[in-house]
Amino acid sequence: MSEPHSLIDTITDGIVPVHSEGYKFLAIGAGISLLLFWLFPPLAWLAVLVTGWIAYFFRDPPRVTPLRDGLIVAPADGRISAIEHVRPPAELGLGDAPRVRISTFLSVFDVPINHAPVAGRITRSVYVPGTFLNAALDKASEENERRALVITTAGGAEIGVVQIAGLVARRIVTFAGEGDSVGIGERFGLIRFGSRVDTFLPPGHGPLVSVGQRAIAGETVLADLKSSEPEREARRV
């Protein structure tokens, strides 16, 4: 199956929309740029570059999400930085039994929008204040500012998602709260300026991704609750 594609489609496909969370930052950048063009034009061009980067950072490209029941998709763009069997953080309320945790590290160049890994209802949403260590560090999951959510599927599976602020990130935003229903791939939040997102799989299920792999939020399949496929092996080429 294919879609007809014209020259205009090719051009418009390259134009990525900016998420509404970035509008006020763009307005500030544009205002400062205009002011500097009036006061000191050479410096104004630097402000224009910064404003352009803000538009790039808050980009919100469309995603094509697989809909088969049982799939868990990546909640964030970025690099899979760790896959470990660990005890879920207490704020998730998922008990003490170890689960597979898939950590995705987002640099300041990754799309900051987070997408729901499964369809279901948000049965838990807890904000935890903390520090702003480098999100790539393991202890960031316990010490950094974060938002912990549990999404429960129609079949009763509980998937934990933790948005973790990083060294530069200073704001975690959620668009859906406790009790809300979300569809798989639906936008549920964002983290400004570099961060990490941890995904906790249900007990007895392993990942279908590997450390070092690039994940695309709403598209990359992290796990399959209906598959008995063993954990995949991979190598960098």
Side-chain angles (χ1 to χ4, degrees):
M1 180 182 296
S2 62
E3 294 180 339
H5 218 68
S6 66
L7 177 59
I8 294 177
D9 291 330
T10 301
I11 294 173
T12 56
D13 283 350
I15 302 174
V16 179
V18 175
H19 194 274
S20 58
E21 281 289 324
Y23 289 172
K24 59 183 174 183
F25 295 98
L26 283 175
I28 293 171
I32 292 174
S33 298
L34 291 173
L35 180 63
L36 288 174
F37 271 118
W38 180 55
L39 297 175
F40 188 59
L43 190 59
W45 290 110
L46 177 60
V48 169
L49 289 175
V50 172
T51 303
W53 180 82
I54 291 173
Y56 173 78
F57 176 78
F58 281 102
R59 65 198 186 281
D60 184 15
R63 296 294 160 85
V64 180
T65 301
L67 299 178
R68 183 170 64 76
D69 188 36
L71 296 182
I72 299 177
V73 299
D77 279 26
R79 178 176 57 86
I80 304 297
S81 58
I83 298 176
E84 302 171 298
H85 286 78
V86 299
R87 185 176 64 184
E91 57 265 21
L92 283 174
L94 294 177
D96 295 329
R99 293 180 176 226
V100 171
R101 181 183 69 191
I102 302 174
S103 300
T104 305
F105 177 74
L106 297 79
S107 76
V108 294
F109 299 105
D110 287 310
V111 174
I113 311 299
N114 299 145
H115 295 248
V118 293
R121 189 168 64 90
I122 298 176
T123 51
R124 191 174 182 87
S125 178
V126 180
Y127 167 74
V128 181
T131 59
F132 297 95
L133 301 173
N134 186 340
L137 299 176
D138 187 61
K139 61 182 179 180
S141 62
E142 297 180 354
E143 299 183 18
N144 279 22
E145 176 180 312
R146 56 197 182 273
R147 165 73 64 175
L149 303 100
V150 175
I151 303 176
T152 303
T153 69
E158 295 179 313
I159 289 81
V161 181
V162 184
Q163 300 170 285
I164 303 172
L167 187 64
V168 180
R170 287 294 189 272
R171 180 85 166 121
I172 297 173
V173 181
T174 53
F175 312 142
E178 193 168 303
D180 291 342
S181 294
V182 292
I184 185 170
E186 181 180 328
R187 295 161 178 81
F188 74 86
L190 65 82
I191 315 175
R192 294 178 189 161
F193 309 122
S195 54
R196 184 174 123 197
V197 176
D198 288 346
T199 306
F200 290 84
L201 305 182
H205 295 282
L208 297 180
V209 290
S210 302
V211 173
Q213 180 177 338
R214 295 287 304 179
I216 300 176
E219 294 189 359
T220 301
V221 175
L222 297 185
D224 186 350
L225 301 182
K226 293 193 172 184
S227 172
S228 58
E229 180 181 349
E231 186 172 332
R232 293 178 178 177
E233 296 183 357
R235 62 187 175 95
R236 187 185 295 272
V237 296

